[in-house]
Amino acid sequence: MSEVNMEQEKAPAYDRKDVDDIPQHDVEAGETKDAPLQRHLQSRHMQMIAIGGAIGAGLFVSTGESLNTGGPGALLICYLIVGVMLLQTMWALGELAVMYPVNGAYFNYALRFLDPSWAFAMGWDYAINWLVILPFEITAAGITIQYWRQDLNIGIWIAVFLSVLSVIQIFGVRGYGEVEFILSIIKVTALVGWIILAIVIDCGGAPVGGYIGGRYWHNPGAFTDFRGFCSVFTTAAFAFGGTEMSGLAAAESANPAKSLPKACRQVFWRIMIFYVLGTLMVGLIVPHNAPYLLKASGSNTSYSPFVVSIQNAGISGLPSVMNAVITISVISVANSATFGSTRTIQAMAAEGMAPKFFSYIDKAGRPIWCVLLQIAFGFLAFINEASTGSQIFTWLLALSGISNFFVWGTICLVHIRFRAAWKHNGRSTDELAYVAPWGIYGSYLGLSLNILCLVAEFYVSVAPKNAEAFFENYLAAPIVILLYVGWKTYSESTSNPTVEKRGWKLWRSLEEIDVFSGIRDTALDVDLEPRVKYDSWVDWLKALPMTLLRSII
């Protein structure tokens, strides 16, 4: 019963006799037809990228906005729904990335298993998402410094953090990996400490406030209204954004078949501990009608519920420590933003879907022109110096608002199409080095939840019956449609022989899908962990406690 395999026995080497005539690329050695990648990311890097790489202002600050608009009940339920959705997405991505550890993962998977036009739309949607998030995170880092020094212009700190980020890029993927490893350890340690402290505060162990318990769930209440509930989905997606980065990093991992499954398993604990348990504690010790939550949005970290809750408890010193952690977190996400956009744009340029010069990678494995483009977008953070800066920033962030739902839904759909094509070619899941625990059923669940979140956010966007409010919330959707239709139209009208013409077909047929090019080298499987195959759901459930325990080691 392969669809319930949390672990399977060691996968046999592929039967390559029918693949030998297909041009292959040694992806495990870091060579693709477009990019001489440097495989410097070790297992420890991949695991910390998966656990803490994306924890930033989305969790620490925007959680306050979600609490205010939806209430603690909505906060917990919506983060749990998005967490389940993302867990299925990561399992599907893990299976794909282990099988095909290629540069520009999501873009290349959509190109291979779905449709070039959708790949073009998703690639640029993902790249734009990170291009505009970088100035937001740098601004957030500057505002955290104003917690201590309000007399200094934020432009000073924007320049400092942008310079630090530029220096990190000099060291290529090794610099990205080491910075994420160190900063993620700090973030994870601080979050665990805050959760323990929040439990103490809730139980009445703080100098001020006394016993709280579940008081705030009753007064002012667990929920606000249905529109407030639905609005939390977008904030949750922003908070979870970047979790998929470990899949993108597979192309620069020393051994993705060994490190990626571990990283995917770590995502479960990150979701349950940091997001679900973390938001539960926020809702317990902070009332959703607290006035300062109205200011806990965008990059205004001074009103983070993680910081203010400690202040309200009468604990001195720790608010500054927590604010410092938020500073570290947003720098970490800014670092991830640079990695995410540059690798995606480079992969698109290699396929002729971005200006060709962006495909260049230097001898150190750096997509140098893509890095310069991302740093140039970082200068948009100085817009905050203008009187209309906040409004401009609102529209910039609107470009990324719901883009994560499109990307995550695409990953799930790609996995479904991959499994169908793999079976169509007479292949079995027993040949896969890593199998998504819930198989295509998990991907169908993930895809359905992504669609549900898009519908919920559409309802939130049209409810005010205001065109400006709609586009501020839902701008990413028409942008994706425009990109998709634009490439379809261009590909059908161009005389360029390198551009694939497919008409207006929705996706590739199973006969068109190539499941063999760029396939991973099974020769490296000698040191993979042995796996157990379960014959039924009953056997899998019996072994589940031990499996979960093993996943955190």
Side-chain angles (χ1 to χ4, degrees):
M1 191 169 181
S2 60
E3 296 299 355
V4 296
N5 290 353
M6 285 294 291
E7 305 284 337
Q8 294 180 320
E9 67 265 9
K10 183 180 175 182
Y14 306 117
D15 178 8
R16 303 292 293 245
K17 66 179 184 294
D18 57 344
V19 191
D20 290 339
D21 295 333
I22 300 176
Q24 298 294 318
H25 310 291
D26 188 4
V27 294
E28 291 292 348
E31 299 175 8
T32 72
K33 64 181 179 179
D34 302 309
L37 302 175
Q38 302 294 317
R39 292 189 170 274
H40 292 316
L41 293 178
Q42 304 299 319
S43 180
R44 63 185 178 90
H45 298 130
M46 298 293 288
Q47 291 187 58
M48 292 313 297
I49 289 171
I51 294 175
I55 296 175
L59 176 63
F60 286 119
V61 183
S62 298
T63 297
E65 181 181 11
S66 296
L67 179 62
N68 177 257
T69 57
L75 185 69
L76 179 62
I77 294 173
C78 291
Y79 272 65
L80 186 58
I81 290 174
V82 175
V84 171
M85 173 184 70
L86 192 55
L87 184 62
Q88 303 304 323
T89 302
M90 284 302 300
W91 282 342
L93 180 59
E95 183 176 310
L96 291 165
V98 167
M99 194 68 177
Y100 309 101
V102 295
N103 193 25
Y106 329 117
F107 161 75
N108 271 308
Y109 298 153
L111 186 65
R112 173 183 296 210
F113 296 107
L114 296 180
D115 176 78
S117 297
W118 190 250
F120 177 82
M122 284 300 95
W124 276 111
D125 177 58
Y126 191 72
I128 291 171
N129 176 48
W130 288 115
L131 285 171
V132 300
I133 281 180
L134 176 63
F136 166 80
E137 296 291 343
I138 291 176
T139 300
I143 291 178
T144 60
I145 303 299
Q146 290 188 328
Y147 181 85
W148 298 289
R149 294 293 303 271
Q150 295 186 7
D151 57 316
L152 296 179
N153 190 293
I154 189 176
I156 298 173
W157 303 112
I158 290 174
V160 168
F161 291 127
L162 193 57
S163 299
V164 170
L165 185 66
S166 301
V167 171
I168 293 173
Q169 305 315 307
I170 295 175
F171 301 95
V173 70
R174 190 188 299 274
Y176 164 72
E178 292 298 341
V179 168
E180 287 306 298
F181 178 75
I182 295 171
L183 298 187
S184 292
I185 289 177
I186 296 172
K187 289 189 287 185
V188 167
T189 303
L191 264 175
V192 171
W194 182 88
I195 290 172
I196 295 173
L197 177 61
I199 294 173
V200 172
I201 294 173
D202 188 59
C203 294
V208 177
Y211 177 76
I212 300 175
R215 180 195 313 164
Y216 297 142
W217 279 61
H218 298 284
N219 183 23
F223 301 92
T224 54
D225 53 35
F226 184 67
R227 182 170 179 269
F229 178 91
C230 292
S231 68
V232 178
F233 283 117
T234 298
T235 312
F238 181 63
F240 278 104
T243 302
E244 74 288 338
M245 200 68 70
S246 55
L248 193 66
E252 294 170 82
S253 169
N255 189 349
K258 187 175 183 179
S259 58
L260 257 178
K262 291 182 179 178
C264 290
R265 290 196 296 265
Q266 299 292 350
V267 170
F268 171 82
W269 296 106
R270 171 177 143 183
I271 291 171
M272 295 306 298
I273 295 175
F274 304 137
Y275 287 95
V276 176
L277 183 56
T279 53
L280 171 63
M281 296 314 303
V282 166
L284 284 174
I285 64 176
V286 178
H288 73 74
N289 61 351
Y292 60 84
L293 292 180
L294 296 172
K295 303 178 182 180
S297 61
S299 55
N300 200 340
T301 58
S302 299
Y303 297 96
S304 163
F306 288 83
V307 174
V308 181
S309 61
I310 302 176
Q311 293 176 327
N312 292 344
I315 302 174
S316 60
L318 284 183
S320 290
V321 173
M322 200 65 209
N323 196 70
V325 170
I326 297 177
T327 306
I328 291 171
S329 298
V330 294
I331 294 173
S332 170
V333 175
N335 187 40
S336 295
T338 304
F339 183 83
S341 67
T342 55
R343 271 53 180 181
T344 302
I345 293 174
Q346 190 280 327
M348 289 191 295
E351 295 292 341
M353 293 184 175
K356 189 63 179 178
F357 68 92
F358 283 128
S359 66
Y360 172 74
I361 292 182
D362 65 12
K363 293 181 180 179
R366 297 168 298 197
I368 197 68
W369 293 111
C370 299
V371 171
L372 290 176
L373 175 65
Q374 178 68 89
I375 296 300
F377 264 79
F379 282 95
L380 290 176
F382 288 105
I383 288 176
N384 289 279
E385 297 294 308
S387 58
T388 58
S390 60
Q391 187 62 30
I392 296 173
F393 240 88
T394 297
W395 284 107
L396 281 175
L397 288 175
L399 294 171
S400 65
I402 56 172
S403 64
N404 283 326
F405 293 129
F406 285 102
V407 173
W408 297 338
T410 296
I411 292 171
C412 292
L413 182 57
V414 164
H415 181 241
I416 293 169
R417 296 297 293 166
F418 159 69
R419 282 292 193 91
W422 190 247
K423 183 178 180 180
H424 178 77
N425 282 272
R427 300 291 170 158
S428 166
T429 55
D430 290 336
E431 296 180 83
L432 303 178
Y434 173 70
V435 179
W438 290 8
I440 59 171
Y441 304 119
S443 292
Y444 275 117
L445 174 61
L447 179 60
S448 301
L449 290 176
N450 273 285
I451 295 173
L452 175 66
C453 291
L454 284 171
V455 171
E457 185 55 30
F458 181 79
Y459 166 75
V460 172
S461 302
V462 300
K465 297 181 180 180
N466 182 298
E468 181 177 350
F470 173 80
F471 284 108
E472 284 183 359
N473 293 328
Y474 223 73
L475 182 60
I479 292 294
V480 167
I481 295 172
L482 182 63
L483 289 169
Y484 174 79
V485 174
W487 187 259
K488 276 286 186 186
T489 304
Y490 168 76
S491 62
E492 291 305 306
S493 61
T494 185
S495 58
N496 188 342
T498 64
V499 176
E500 183 180 3
K501 298 178 183 293
R502 298 193 65 257
W504 289 86
K505 297 177 182 177
L506 186 60
W507 56 38
R508 298 185 188 278
S509 65
L510 297 182
E511 290 75 15
E512 292 181 87
I513 296 177
D514 172 19
V515 296
F516 297 115
S517 295
I519 207 169
R520 55 183 303 280
D521 185 359
T522 56
L524 293 179
D525 287 357
V526 292
D527 61 344
L528 297 186
E529 298 177 5
R531 296 176 297 165
V532 180
K533 186 173 182 178
Y534 301 110
D535 296 323
S536 69
W537 285 99
V538 175
D539 293 337
W540 177 77
L541 287 172
K542 288 180 179 178
L544 182 60
M546 187 57 65
T547 302
L548 293 176
L549 179 62
R550 192 167 61 246
S551 71
I552 64 175
I553 299 176

